[in-house]
Amino acid sequence: MDYLISVYSFLVGYIVPFLIVLTLVVFVHEMGHYLVGRWCGIRILTFSVGFGPEIVGFNDRHGTRWKLSAIPLGGYVKFYGDENAASAPDFDAVSGMSDADREQSFLGANVWKRVATVAAGPIANFILAIAIFAVMFAIYGKPVADPVVAEVQPGSAAEEAGLLPGDMITTIDGKPVLTFEDIRRYVSPRPEVGLVLTVDRDGRMIEIPIVPKRAEIEDQFGNKMEVGLIGVVTDASVANFRRQELNPLQAVGAAAGESWFIVARSVGYIGNIIIGREKADQLGGPIRVAQVSGQVATLGAAALLQLAAVLSVSIGFLNLLPIPMLDGGHLVFYAIEIVRGRPVGEKAQEIAFKIGLSLVLMLMLFATWNDVTMLFG
């Protein structure tokens, strides 16, 4: 009986939230491809949420097979003339088509229609994220606090640099600071990187060089991460904690800014990994997404919906990376085709797709290794 209760708790606590979040994000991504592809006159053979064997499905009046598949780790839209779910072109099949059929194939569509169809998936992810964030900002507003220092922690970078209680940080590296959260967001991804703070101290503007210290912190669920800290704290006595109400237009603007922050942080993290400034242990796969989904679900539906927005931005960004097999790789081929005036050769595309498949598989294995290491120490 205890075993059954444990299984039930695991399913409800982790698997169900994971499937809700991932299915929403994947469905919207593939729907972007589907809608624009249909609008461009390209025949669509399959719309699948998940990979592998079909669990349930149906054919619509346009001949598209809509299905739910057994492995819930993604999805795909298969166009007429595609060789596989990764949209690798079937050159032999397309070359044997009649002119009428070829016009309905993905490969036979003009390059701008292919660009629009491929780009529509990541764009749909960004639109979903902005919509979710905008609704949240419109309903709940935006919690803000003035960027005023209430306390300087002993032994911190702030103490060494000479920051004092009462200082108001107005810019970092010349970029405006409007809220205390702006400080955290700028400093956190820059451990051991020299910054310049502009501080308003009793009406005098002072420039203070500072180097955030690298520190390991835990979130409320015990997940650990390394961040940059300067060691300043604020409180209600100086920071004017408040909830900023936003009208619909302001909410959309704030939502776009939130989505852009996630993209910029992702780009910065990858760049820091390349130059050796950060570890790659924060790259996670399905196991970590499931774990985080279960943890966030305990905070309520609104928090889980916001996680879906963050994941949607991340998947949109990931798919735009210039790796063959991903949407970004296809877009690189089309950019070359536009410049050259003719498509990339069949052999070159085949080799590129094999390399892309290897890279994606290695990334998945590495992310899964990180997940397993995280779980078992």
Side-chain angles (χ1 to χ4, degrees), residues 37-83:
R38 281 287 309 278
W39 178 68
C40 290
I42 301 170
R43 190 191 304 177
I44 297 169
L45 302 180
T46 308
F47 185 112
S48 177
V49 175
F51 299 107
E54 177 181 319
I55 298 174
V56 64
F58 67 93
N59 292 330
D60 68 13
R61 59 190 179 89
H62 301 289
T64 302
R65 181 68 178 177
W66 296 75
K67 62 181 184 176
L68 182 65
S69 298
I71 306 173
L73 300 179
Y76 63 92
V77 169
K78 186 177 181 181
F79 297 99
Y80 187 47
D82 285 351
E83 182 178 354

Side-chain angles (χ1 to χ4, degrees), residues 251-292:
V252 171
E258 190 73 12
S259 300
W260 174 249
F261 169 76
I262 296 169
V263 172
R265 179 66 185 99
S266 300
V267 172
Y269 180 64
I270 292 173
N272 285 342
I273 291 175
I274 293 172
I275 64 176
R277 185 179 292 161
E278 290 198 53
K279 301 175 184 177
D281 58 354
Q282 295 302 309
L283 291 174
I287 296 174
R288 188 168 306 191
V289 174
Q291 180 194 33
V292 173

Side-chain angles (χ1 to χ4, degrees), residues 157-175:
E159 183 182 58
E160 294 170 2
L163 278 167
L164 299 175
D167 286 347
M168 174 179 283
I169 300 173
T170 59
T171 70
I172 305 179
D173 290 341
K175 296 175 176 61

